[in-house]
Amino acid sequence: MITFTNNSDSEEEPCNERTSLMSAESPPVPSYQDGLPASEAGEAQAHRKRRTGSSRSPNNIADGDMSDSGVPVRESALENEEEELTLKYGAKHVIMLFVPVTLCMIVVVATIKSVRFYTEKNGQLIYTPFSEDTPSVGQRLLNSVLNTIIMISVIVVMTVFLVLLYKYRCYKFIHGWLILSSLMLLFLFTYIYLGEVLKTYNVAMDYPTLFLVIWNFGAVGMICIHWKGPLQLQQAYLIMISALMALVFIKYLPEWSAWVILGAISIYDLMAVLCPKGPLRMLVETAQERNEPIFPALIYSSAMMWTVGMAKPDAAARGPSRQMWDAAEDGRENHRSPSHTDSQMSETRSPVPTRPITSFEELEEEERGVKLGLGDFIFYSVLVGKAAATASGDWNTTLACFVAILIGLCLTLLLLAVFKKALPALPISITFGLVFYFSTDNLVRPFMDTLASHQLYI
Amino acid sequence: AFFWLVSLLLASLIWFISVHLSDRDNAKLQYGLLIFGAAVSVLLQEAFRFAYFKLLKKADEGLAMISEDGRSPISLRQMAYVSGLSFGIISGVFSVINILADSIGPGIVGIHGDSPYYFITSAFLTMALVLLHTFWGVIFFDACEKRHYWCLGLVVASHLLTSGLTFLNPWYEASLVPIFIITLCTGLWAFFTAGGSFCNILKCLSCKQEDDSRVMMYSALQVPFED
């Protein structure tokens, strides 16, 4: 799930509360135009090429400003500037998302290639009970499809549960759930990861040092993610927990099931976000009715606002997990839903006090942010990690999947700019990734290997 | 990079199908099919470079239309350079990364009678290829822009020639040296296509501040860039 936010420098705004509300409710792409007085006038302008659906929230703000800026020339000038800003920020946003996604993938691929633990088969999750050690291909295929069905139904049930909890305002439950889930990720999984890395490089570490390191890492992580912290640190922690989650999935999902699950997840994502009766859409609508931000800490945000301007202290609400993997599932689920929520709710904005035209200059200094759900990070990394783990030691496949996913992300951002509403980030990227994985592994690899053995270049 | 990958995919598909339809044991036939596959791949790469040019041209027009002064923020020359560079990077990486990964591991190069200089020549060839793709990108886009189709043909021909020269490996004198000569010539050609000239080099190296009396001359020099 990808959304855009408009984030203002809270120090310049008279009221922090208003800033956070504004930022929380900023529309996905019209955030570029957010508050710009000419955004509404632009409809009539000749230069309006791509602002098809922009009549929504920007106009709530722009309405009040229209009375002030009656000069069409001024409007068109502002309009052009705004379009240029949109493009500049559009490109900037693409880069702002490329970097964390790339970093997450690099961490996962580096771990997979060096630490043997994550490629060994040591059992399966309870969510994928059917084994793939069957003699016949048909049986194996059937088992993987059954595994997928079970996994997806678990995810759907969790999402519906979350929606119900949110609908009946059980905020404390949700918060507790999310906190427990991130506790587990930050402490237990990090401990296992560190243990395996130390084993691989044959480095000795005594328990007191280990305890100190993990305690500090985990405590700072909890504070950064759930409360306040420097933006870069929060981003780094989110990337690390996404990488850890992805590594767990890569280790514990059997081969064929992993690929079928990836495909099924992207279809589910598509339906859950775009269908009117999808659970995520309902979550979003409920949030809109209540006019409040939901679970912002489960989304990777590239903007300043979330750590500074949020009125609510704990943005994240992670549920309790009875079993180890429950929380993993829920965590991933919540990753997607909040992002949808945030974007959707930002569209229907409540009446916001009008801003004077001079705020345009202020806006130019504002940080405009892009938000991507952590679930998307996780599944991108799972795809690339699986490609690195199982593609017969071939780096070409990994690179091809990497490029495919980034291009998919780029296209999704482009669609976001065109449609201006919450979009699922998984389908396009995962489709490209899967197509490129299978075709590179089976078609390109023999070709390139044969060429390389004769030292031929094309 | 994505476009290059798609072209590579299609070429491998063609090669794969042709290999499967043919006699596996006939080594000469397989080698011939490999040459055919490589040639098809080169042609497809250039075709996709052209497709990318068309796409960027559309984007350029779009950007120009909605920008303030009617000009897009990125010039077509910059796009040509970036496109060439990305083609080069992905092509180079695909050619060399497996070799690099293998070079870490234990092993002896050329134990079965192949050349022991495999790694170093691979490195040089990859470097030449990356540079060549960058230069070809610049020349190609400029030729498409100005409709000098003979330039296009020359670029495709030089790509085919370069790929063909690699078939002479491991006779490195016959393959590496001509390829580097081609790289140099293409580089110079691309430099002059992009508007460079001897005066520009001097100006760049001297890093002098222009005084007012030379303003007219400077802007006259700049005109070729801005087209």
Side-chain angles (χ1 to χ4, degrees), chain A residues 193-336:
Chain A
Y193 180 78
L194 200 58
E196 292 306 323
V197 168
L198 289 175
K199 264 191 233 172
T200 306
Y201 290 108
N202 207 15
V203 173
M205 188 184 265
D206 51 313
Y207 274 115
T209 313
L210 186 74
F211 174 72
L212 203 65
V213 167
I214 296 207
W215 170 251
N216 278 305
F217 180 81
V220 175
M222 288 300 288
I223 294 175
C224 265
I225 296 174
H226 292 269
W227 193 47
K228 294 183 198 173
L231 180 70
Q232 309 255 1
L233 201 58
Q234 189 194 38
Q235 291 173 340
Y237 268 105
L238 289 174
I239 292 176
M240 279 191 269
I241 64 175
S242 308
L244 283 173
M245 246 347 275
L247 284 168
V248 162
F249 274 132
I250 293 172
K251 179 170 172 65
Y252 287 110
L253 285 179
E255 301 254 345
W256 290 20
S257 306
W259 297 113
V260 184
I261 284 175
L262 275 172
I265 275 278
S266 43
I267 298 175
Y268 165 71
D269 200 25
L270 193 67
M271 292 197 319
V273 176
L274 297 179
C275 285
K277 276 295 168 193
L280 295 173
R281 202 166 184 147
M282 279 170 51
L283 188 68
V284 158
E285 278 158 15
T286 320
Q288 280 172 0
E289 283 162 34
R290 295 184 199 167
N291 210 20
E292 57 190 27
I294 307 179
F295 319 135
L298 282 174
I299 309 169
Y300 177 90
S301 160
S302 52
M304 196 56 88
M305 191 279 287
W306 294 113
T307 56
V308 177
M310 272 312 297
K312 285 192 187 150
D314 54 330
R318 303 182 200 225
S321 59
R322 262 152 232 88
Q323 294 173 25
M324 225 167 81
W325 308 109
D326 265 341
E329 284 312 308
D330 306 335
R332 196 200 44 72
E333 255 328 284
N334 295 331
H335 298 163
R336 203 108 19 80

Side-chain angles (χ1 to χ4, degrees), chain A residues 81 84 394 399 439 452 455 457, chain B residues 68 98 118 121 163 169 172:
Chain A
E81 280 188 59
E84 270 209 25
D394 193 36
L399 281 169
S439 54
Q455 207 173 15
Y457 282 77
Chain B
E68 247 177 20
N98 281 330
Y118 186 83
T121 49
S163 186
N169 283 330
Y172 293 126

Side-chain angles (χ1 to χ4, degrees), chain A residues 60-125:
Chain A
N60 290 336
I61 286 191
D63 267 330
D65 302 327
M66 272 311 293
S67 46
D68 300 337
S69 57
V71 183
V73 173
R74 180 89 187 273
E75 283 162 15
S76 71
L78 283 166
E79 164 67 21
N80 286 338
E81 280 188 59
E82 158 207 327
E83 295 267 3
E84 270 209 25
L85 267 173
T86 306
L87 286 169
K88 282 193 217 147
Y89 282 112
K92 202 169 136 195
H93 284 154
V94 170
I95 305 294
M96 284 205 283
L97 277 187
F98 271 16
V99 172
V101 172
T102 310
L103 277 174
C104 194
M105 288 191 207
I106 286 177
V107 169
V108 170
V109 170
T111 311
I112 293 274
K113 287 281 183 189
S114 54
V115 178
R116 291 259 162 269
F117 174 72
Y118 287 103
T119 39
E120 289 162 5
K121 282 263 124 236
N122 271 346
Q124 294 179 196
L125 294 175

